[in-house]
Amino acid sequence: MEKLRLYGFNNLTKTLSFNIYDVCYADTEEDKKGYIEYIDERYNSDRLTDILKDVTDMIGATVLNVAKQDYDPQGASVTMLIAEPPHVVGHLDKSHMTVHTYPESHPDQGVTTFRMDIEVSTCGEISPLSALNYLINAFDGDIIICDYRVRGFTRDMNGRKHFMDHRIESIQDYISEENLKLYKGIDTNFYQENVFHTKLIVRERPLDDYLFALDEKDLAPDLKKKIQDKLDCEMKEIFYGRNFEQHKY
């Protein structure tokens, strides 16, 4: 492999991390298994690799190496080493992207939750924020928890340190209006540390969208309410990061 030439190195490292959750109601053990198999196939390592390659194009990088793996009984992982294109003189650096999947289910409440962890880390001028909306749309999660952090510093020609090379007040500044209409968001930012944290939860949750192998019109009103309460509780607990008493049905 041709050796990468580095000159005028930009030492800032920008990392965008996601926890994306998809919540579903699967009534029987067979349905739970069916949902996990469906998710496992939908987000297998080949599709995840294609998504990360699209992200690479969006942030203007090139793929150096790909490692991917599907797991038994379920789950997949992809790690990709990327670099800025050689024609970007003065800012050439290795970076990486990773994605891991974690399907799981509640032992007795019928609630099944699929979690995906994604990290896009870049050095130099390129920023993973340019792929933010693509990733939100690609995975269509019910809950999205984002972290963005800029580490290190770079120097100008006079030797002055720069700890940030772009303006940002919130991750939500980089989310499209269309996506902000779909999600409710809250921020916890530490500006002095260049750490930004945003949590998103889908605004509209029609029951039919969360039923696996069931149809809302076939359910009695009291059962529909019970299922909706379970789903709402699961999402609230994930979004706020704590358990609620209403979890006990």
Side-chain angles (χ1 to χ4, degrees), residues 166-203:
H166 62 292
R167 294 187 63 180
I168 178 172
E169 297 293 330
S170 165
I171 294 172
Q172 293 192 56
D173 295 342
Y174 291 83
I175 299 176
S176 69
E177 289 186 13
E178 291 78 9
N179 281 327
L180 288 175
K181 289 177 182 177
L182 298 176
Y183 292 92
K184 170 189 174 182
I186 60 174
D187 286 347
T188 306
N189 299 319
F190 301 91
Y191 300 107
Q192 70 276 17
E193 301 295 336
N194 288 333
V195 175
F196 305 87
H197 178 76
T198 293
K199 297 195 288 189
L200 304 171
I201 186 168
V202 68
R203 295 180 186 273

Side-chain angles (χ1 to χ4, degrees), residues 23 143 199 201 205 229-244 246:
V23 179
I143 300 154
K199 297 195 288 189
I201 186 168
R205 300 194 285 272
D229 287 345
K230 289 180 180 181
L231 293 167
D232 289 345
C233 182
E234 179 80 355
M235 293 188 200
K236 283 174 61 181
E237 288 182 345
I238 294 170
F239 187 68
Y240 293 107
R242 62 188 179 92
N243 291 308
F244 292 95
Q246 69 184 81

Side-chain angles (χ1 to χ4, degrees), residues 206-218:
L207 183 58
D208 247 351
D209 290 354
Y210 296 89
L211 300 176
F212 187 82
L214 289 172
D215 194 316
E216 182 180 359
K217 69 177 183 295
D218 297 327

Side-chain angles (χ1 to χ4, degrees), residues 75-88:
S77 297
V78 178
T79 300
M80 188 175 291
L81 185 66
I82 61 176
E84 289 198 39
H87 63 267
V88 182

